[in-house]
Amino acid sequence: MERLRLTEDGSHSLYNSQYNQHYHSVSGALKESRHIYMNLGLIPVLESDQETIRVFEMGFGTGLNAYLTWQAADQYKKKILYTGVEAFPVSQEEASHLNYESVISQPGFMQLHESSWFTNHSFSEYFQFRKEQLTLEDFSPENLFDVIYYDAFDPKAQPELWTEEILKKIAAQTRSGGVLVTYSSKGIVKRALAAAGFKVEKHKGPGKKWHVLRAIKQ
Ligand SMILES: C[S@@+](CC[C@H](N)C(=O)[O-])C[C@H]1O[C@@H](n2cnc3c(N)ncnc32)[C@H](O)[C@@H]1O
């Protein structure tokens, strides 16, 4: 399949020719997702006293982050309500070629892709999943989120998704003390997050990547 890429840790990613961007780091899609979105974002909240955790993902994409979130919910036996937005969905045919079920010991990957949009699905006792097929600009949630996976394409490819204005919208949808994680550590991203009301921390990135960001809503 033309868009499919095998990344250096043996997990797949996809390539988007419109934006000339990969969906994940080519040094390792799974390694990147675990390092940034799980270990820096979700896991500390799962290890806190909080009983129910609301997760929002900008860019559902291949479903890799959602799938790891499901696995973490079941492992920690804590309720996670996941919502992802996606403007340009991956087809079910393409999703069926991704090797995530063989590199992550968790059944059910294709349910993420086969399930209906704009519907809450309980995939396990602990994992509730919802995806909305629309742009981030059009998204308006009913509840505040505890954890944000900000996984848009790079600021040079989609600058409109990294502005102070859009990050202010995200901040308004995040509870105070909530955490946003993202792979981009560019200066414009740090400044826009700070201006939007987040306290920004720089962390070591996965593999050869120097830095990634973790930002706490003030
Ligand atoms: C870096 S990829 C996300 C990878 C994804 N988190 C995963 O685990 O596969 C960025 C995603 O954002 C989506 N996207 C681009 N512009 C968008 C927009 N304005 N609103 C919502 N999604 C958008 C793309 O189609 C793509 O799936």
Side-chain angles (χ1 to χ4, degrees):
M1 199 183 55
E2 195 196 326
R3 272 162 38 97
L4 199 66
R5 297 283 185 276
L6 190 61
T7 70
E8 284 173 26
D9 66 3
S11 61
H12 278 144
S13 188
L14 293 177
Y15 173 72
N16 179 305
S17 56
Q18 185 190 345
Y19 293 111
N20 188 24
Q21 292 279 305
H22 288 98
Y23 281 54
H24 308 94
S25 163
V26 290
S27 304
L30 181 56
K31 199 201 250 182
E32 176 186 58
S33 287
R34 283 209 168 116
H35 181 101
I36 304 172
Y37 302 101
M38 298 304 112
N39 295 345
L40 286 174
L42 179 64
I43 302 298
V45 185
L46 272 172
E47 288 181 346
S48 74
D49 295 342
Q50 197 166 335
E51 283 305 315
T52 299
I53 301 165
R54 290 181 190 276
V55 173
F56 172 65
E57 179 163 37
M58 160 52 218
F60 166 69
T62 62
L64 176 56
N65 288 335
Y67 195 39
L68 289 172
T69 303
W70 180 356
Q71 186 187 44
D74 289 357
Q75 280 171 352
Y76 280 79
K77 300 194 186 316
K78 276 209 177 168
K79 184 118 184 148
I80 297 184
L81 312 178
Y82 168 99
T83 301
V85 296
E86 177 53 62
F88 314 108
V90 170
S91 69
Q92 289 183 22
E93 153 67 16
E94 277 191 316
S96 72
H97 293 281
L98 294 164
N99 66 357
Y100 298 149
E101 215 169 75
S102 61
V103 295
I104 300 167
S105 47
Q106 169 80 21
F109 174 67
M110 282 307 290
Q111 287 185 63
L112 299 172
H113 287 276
E114 288 164 357
S115 56
S116 51
W117 298 87
F118 300 102
T119 308
N120 295 339
H121 301 275
S122 287
F123 285 152
S124 76
E125 186 181 345
Y126 300 104
F127 185 64
Q128 182 184 291
F129 173 78
R130 179 183 179 90
K131 58 182 178 178
E132 302 208 353
Q133 185 179 353
L134 40 67
T135 63
L136 177 64
E137 297 87 327
D138 288 339
F139 176 62
S140 52
E142 285 171 9
N143 295 292
L144 298 179
F145 293 102
D146 304 297
V147 181
I148 312 282
Y149 306 156
Y150 205 79
D151 199 9
F153 286 134
D154 192 88
K156 72 177 181 315
Q158 281 196 295
E160 70 280 8
L161 292 178
W162 301 89
T163 61
E164 185 181 322
E165 186 192 358
I166 198 100
L167 291 170
K168 274 189 172 146
K169 179 179 159 150
I170 296 287
Q173 297 166 356
T174 308
R175 79 159 166 82
S176 195
V179 55
L180 177 151
V181 272
T182 188
Y183 67 89
S184 179
S185 62
K186 290 194 168 152
I188 50 156
V189 177
K190 279 188 279 187
R191 287 190 291 279
L193 281 169
F198 288 92
K199 181 166 173 287
V200 182
E201 302 168 355
K202 230 163 49 170
H203 288 262
K204 163 99 189 66
K208 284 174 247 152
K209 187 158 173 37
W210 283 95
H211 293 122
V212 296
L213 298 181
R214 179 172 195 270
I216 310 296
K217 167 78 187 300
Q218 299 305 287

